[in-house]
Amino acid sequence: MGNLMVLGTENVEQAVTVTRDMFSGLTSAITSNAEVLIPVGVGIMAIMVGISLIPRILYKFI
């Protein structure tokens, strides 16, 4: 089939093979960070919405 360029290499034998085991650390890091960042993000968003809504509600009753 001739020479095939894969990821900048000259031979197919030198190509980098990506396996499922290589991504196991990456996926665990993403899920553990998401477990922390999503509740924090929701809390910050709730504070921002609360700061904008509370004065409007108070002005309606005052």
Side-chain angles (χ1 to χ4, degrees), residues 21-58:
D21 295 332
M22 291 179 183
F23 286 105
S24 65
L26 179 66
T27 55
S28 65
I30 290 173
T31 54
S32 64
N33 286 330
E35 289 175 358
V36 174
L37 291 177
I38 290 176
V40 169
V42 170
I44 291 172
M45 187 179 68
I47 291 171
M48 292 174 63
V49 169
I51 288 173
S52 65
L53 287 179
I54 289 172
R56 291 182 190 176
I57 294 169
L58 290 177

Side-chain angles (χ1 to χ4, degrees), residues 1 7 11 14 23 28 32 55:
M1 188 176 205
L7 296 175
N11 296 326
Q14 295 175 350
F23 286 105
S28 65
S32 64

